[in-house]
Amino acid sequence: MASHTRLNGPAAGTLVAVLAAVVLAADQFTKHLALGGLPYQREVPVLGEFFQLYLTKNPGAAFSLGTGVTWVFTLALAVVAATVIVLAVRSVRTRSWAIVLGLLLGGVLGNLTDRLFRAPGFPEGHVIDFIHTPWMWLWFRPAIYNVADIFIVTMMISVAILVVIGIRFDGTRDRPAAKDDAVETASAEA
């Protein structure tokens, strides 16, 4: 199983870096295509209501929240990116964590690149969004997102799964507390 595959520090760091670079490149390339080929803020049906393209520039977070404090999102993205890099260098020794953190880092860097280099300028650049799936959001306002957002959301879910199943950065697994208590009780009685 991938979660038990141990890597040395340089191998884990390289895997994180390569995956982050691939996601960053895919994100920026698709944004480039969207900016060059889509009308601004007009729906372009691809599969009817199921999948549409809709180019917009988002100054805020998800659902355009916090549009007046864009610099906060820039700072938060930078902190997340730095944290992932430090973890990759110091702690990650499994393929599963390296893959998850590499893909997460790529997504974070994709949106951070927009915040740093797109109009209206550093550090308040607007993130380019263009993927629209109205059916997905049920009773919420439909979101428009990008490739980086897809990786950020799915990899945060993956982080939660790895934590819940107890896989540590070094590949060891947490034992359930009930087993630990039973072992301690049995040892004390013996």
Side-chain angles (χ1 to χ4, degrees), residues 33-152:
L33 293 176
L35 286 168
L38 293 175
Y40 188 66
Q41 294 188 340
R42 282 201 345 237
E43 290 179 359
V44 177
V46 177
L47 295 172
E49 290 284 319
F50 183 79
F51 180 75
Q52 302 170 351
L53 299 176
Y54 186 94
L55 178 63
T56 192
K57 297 174 183 176
N58 186 356
F63 304 103
S64 294
L65 298 173
T67 58
V69 290
T70 302
W71 64 272
V72 172
F73 303 119
T74 304
L75 182 60
L77 288 169
V79 167
V80 170
T83 301
V84 169
I85 291 167
V86 168
L87 286 173
V89 170
R90 290 187 176 177
S91 304
V92 173
R93 298 296 177 263
T94 64
R95 186 171 294 141
S96 58
W97 273 108
I99 290 169
V100 167
L101 292 179
L103 297 175
L104 174 62
L105 180 60
V108 167
L109 291 175
N111 284 344
L112 181 59
T113 298
D114 287 3
R115 295 281 183 216
L116 295 175
F117 300 111
R118 294 200 189 274
F122 178 88
E124 297 181 346
H126 296 179
V127 172
I128 304 302
D129 290 331
F130 61 92
I131 301 169
H132 187 213
T133 49
W135 57 271
M136 185 182 292
W137 306 101
L138 304 173
W139 58 88
F140 296 107
R141 183 172 59 167
I144 302 165
Y145 50 98
N146 58 50
V147 171
D149 294 334
I150 293 169
F151 281 98
I152 291 169

Side-chain angles (χ1 to χ4, degrees), residues 159-167:
V159 165
I161 290 169
L162 289 173
V163 168
V164 166
I165 63 176
I167 299 175

